[in-house]
Amino acid sequence: MSGAVGERAEPWDGVPQRWLYGGVLLLTAFVFGSTLTFGFVYDDHWTLLGNGFLRQLGNLPMLLGREAAAAGVPDAFRPTLVVFDALSYALLGLSPLAHHLTSVLLHVLVTGLIGLWLARVGAPRRVVVTATTLFGVLAIHGETVAVVSYREDLLAAALGLGAALQASAHVQKPAWPRLVSAGVLMALACGAKLSVAGLPLVWLALKLLSPWGMQTETRRLWKPAAVLLVGVGVVLAFRTLVLDGLDPYGASERVFAHRVGLGPVLAASVQIHLGYLQQLWLPRGLSPEYVDYGASWTDPVTLCGLLALGGLLLVAVSAARGRRAPLLAWVIIAAFILAAPTSNLAPMPNMRADRFVYLSSAPVCVGMSVALLRAGTWLHRRWGLHPLVPWIAMVVLQGSVCLLYTSPSPRDRQKSR
C-alpha cells in the first residue's frame, strides 16, 4: 500500500469522468433511498419535533451567548447544527420525507467531497472510484443517514472536507480568500460537531506523506494548517465561554464515566474500537442496543484490542519512517486521529454508536479499496479472475447489509403513518 495501484486498464477508463463519478453518487443515493419512507425516531422527537427554539428564526442570536444553553436548548453548544435545523424547519416544516432526503443528500455530498479531495491530492482514478463507492455504501453509515437528528455528523463532515479542500487550493495557488474560507468552514464544521476537530492534522499528514507523489514544500503547509487549527480553536473557545468549560454535560449522571471513573470506560472503549474495526470490514452487529459498560484492562478482549490497535500504530510508525509505505501510514494515522474525539477520552453520554465512525471510516475506505485492488491483482495472476472481483464483492456485501438495516419493516411503516 505504498502508493498508487499499477496503471493497468480498467472497464471504466473509457467512461467520461463526470458520468463515472455521477454513477458513484447515484449508487450512494440508491442504497439509502429506502430511508425516505422513515418517520421520526430516537432523538428526532427531542431535537426537532419538541424543540420550540427552532420555530422562530429570531431566537438564533441567543446562540452567541449563554442564554440558549442556560435555557436547555438542545445542542446549544453546537450552533452550526442548531442554525441548520432551524433553517430546515423553516423550509421543510415537519415533513419526514423532506428531512430524510436532506440527510441522504448530505451523505451524497460528503461522498463526493471525499472523491474530490482524493483526486486533488493525486490519487489515481481507480482509487478515487473504489474508495468513494465503498464509503458511499458502507453499512455502518446506515444509522447516521437514517436518523434525522444524527445528521450533525454529516453536516460536520461536509463542512470540514470543504475546509480541507480550500486549504489545499490555497497551497496550489495562494489566495487569502481561500485561506479565510478554510478557517471559516472549519469553525462551522466544529460548530456542528467536534468529531471533525482532528481533520487539520489529517490534512497535514496527507500533505507531508504525499502517498501519490504530489509533494509540497513544507513551508507552504504551515499557514493553511494553522488557519484550520484556528478554526477548531475558535469553537473550543466559544464552548468554554458559553458553558464555562469544554464539557457540555458537566457532572451529569448520564455520563457513565462520571459514575464509575474514566479507567473502566477507556478499557471498554478499547473493546468498542476493536468492534468498530470488525464492523468496517464485516458489517455484523450494526446498530445494537447501546448499553454503557465498564471493563477491566486485564479482560482478554481488552488485551486483544490493545494488541491489535497498538500493533496498527507500530505499523503506521514503521511505514512512515523514510516514507516506506506512505499510504498505509496515512490511512492508519488518519483513522486514529479522526476516532479520537469519540473515543471516550472526553466524557460522552453514549460510549458507542455506529455514527461515531462516520468520518474516521473515510481513510479506512481508502486503505480497504487499495487492499482489495491488490488482492484482485493477485487473484488475476493466480487464477485469471477479474481484478475487481474482491472489491465488487465487498461493495455488494456492504450495500446489501446497508439496505437490510435501513429498510423499514411493515411494522415501522405502520408506525410512521
Side-chain angles (χ1 to χ4, degrees):
M1 202 184 290
S2 60
V5 182
E7 292 298 322
R8 61 181 181 277
E10 296 289 4
W12 52 62
D13 282 351
V15 179
Q17 182 167 298
R18 59 184 176 183
W19 289 104
L20 182 60
Y21 295 157
V24 172
L25 300 182
L26 284 174
L27 176 62
T28 300
F30 169 77
V31 168
F32 287 94
S34 60
T35 63
L36 301 182
T37 62
F38 278 16
F40 293 113
V41 295
Y42 301 154
D43 291 349
D44 297 350
H45 299 283
W46 172 59
T47 60
L48 185 62
L49 300 184
N51 188 357
F53 184 84
L54 305 179
R55 305 301 185 258
Q56 296 292 331
L57 296 180
N59 292 331
L60 296 181
M62 294 169 58
L63 294 168
L64 298 177
R66 303 187 181 198
E67 191 176 355
V73 174
D75 294 319
F77 55 92
R78 293 172 178 154
T80 306
L81 173 66
V82 178
V83 171
F84 186 86
D85 284 343
L87 294 175
S88 297
Y89 176 80
L91 294 171
L92 309 175
L94 292 177
S95 166
L97 171 63
H99 283 282
H100 284 294
L101 179 60
T102 301
S103 292
V104 172
L105 292 177
L106 278 172
H107 178 56
V108 170
L109 175 61
V110 171
T111 303
L113 289 172
I114 290 172
L116 185 58
W117 190 16
L118 290 174
R120 292 276 177 86
V121 296
R125 179 188 275 197
R126 62 182 50 84
V127 173
V128 176
V129 172
T130 55
T132 52
T133 302
L134 192 53
F135 179 87
V137 304
L138 206 65
I140 203 170
H141 295 162
E143 181 184 69
T144 317
V145 182
V147 183
V148 172
S149 53
Y150 296 163
R151 62 187 174 193
E152 59 200 28
D153 292 272
L154 307 171
L155 180 62
L159 291 167
L161 290 167
L165 283 166
Q166 286 298 308
S168 294
H170 175 80
V171 171
Q172 294 297 320
K173 189 176 181 181
W176 70 263
R178 291 172 178 164
L179 206 56
V180 171
S181 63
V184 170
L185 286 170
M186 195 68 236
L188 290 173
C190 290
K193 190 172 183 179
L194 272 175
S195 58
V196 299
L199 202 51
L201 298 179
V202 171
W203 177 86
L204 184 60
L206 184 59
K207 289 292 185 182
L208 292 173
L209 289 168
S210 57
W212 293 292
M214 292 187 66
Q215 296 187 1
T216 307
E217 294 180 63
T218 304
R219 64 181 179 82
R220 296 173 60 188
L221 300 177
W222 300 122
K223 187 180 291 185
V227 168
L228 292 174
L229 288 170
V230 166
V232 178
V234 166
V235 175
L236 293 176
F238 170 80
R239 278 204 179 191
T240 303
L241 175 66
V242 171
L243 302 173
D244 291 323
L246 293 176
D247 184 5
Y249 307 106
S252 172
E253 288 294 308
R254 291 176 57 205
V255 179
F256 193 66
H258 292 164
R259 305 201 299 269
V260 302
L262 189 59
V265 168
L266 290 180
S269 188
V270 171
Q271 300 180 10
I272 289 168
H273 283 73
L274 184 63
Y276 287 153
L277 189 60
Q278 168 256 300
Q279 287 176 298
L280 287 169
W281 280 91
L282 182 64
R284 181 178 178 275
L286 300 178
S287 298
E289 183 67 28
Y290 302 128
V291 178
D292 292 342
Y293 67 97
S296 168
W297 290 101
T298 58
D299 288 345
V301 180
T302 306
L303 293 175
C304 287
L306 285 172
L307 286 173
L309 299 176
L312 284 173
L313 281 175
L314 289 176
V315 168
V317 171
S318 176
R321 290 182 61 184
R323 298 186 69 255
R324 296 175 184 172
L327 181 56
L328 177 62
W330 178 76
V331 165
I332 298 174
I333 291 169
F336 270 84
I337 290 174
L338 292 175
T342 51
S343 64
N344 293 287
L345 290 169
M348 297 193 304
N350 297 104
M351 288 175 55
R352 69 148 298 172
D354 291 353
R355 62 188 183 274
F356 293 162
V357 192
Y358 186 71
L359 188 56
S360 61
S361 69
V364 176
C365 285
V366 175
M368 289 172 66
S369 295
V370 173
L372 291 167
L373 288 172
R374 300 234 168 166
T377 299
W378 182 84
L379 290 172
H380 176 70
R381 291 172 180 168
R382 186 71 181 267
W383 288 305
L385 295 178
H386 194 283
L388 293 180
V389 166
W391 172 76
I392 291 172
M394 180 62 77
V395 169
V396 171
L397 171 66
Q398 295 284 350
S400 299
V401 174
C402 190
L403 279 168
L404 175 66
Y405 274 82
T406 58
S407 296
S409 65
R411 181 182 298 177
D412 294 330
R413 291 192 187 100
Q414 189 67 30
K415 286 181 179 180
S416 67
R417 289 175 183 173

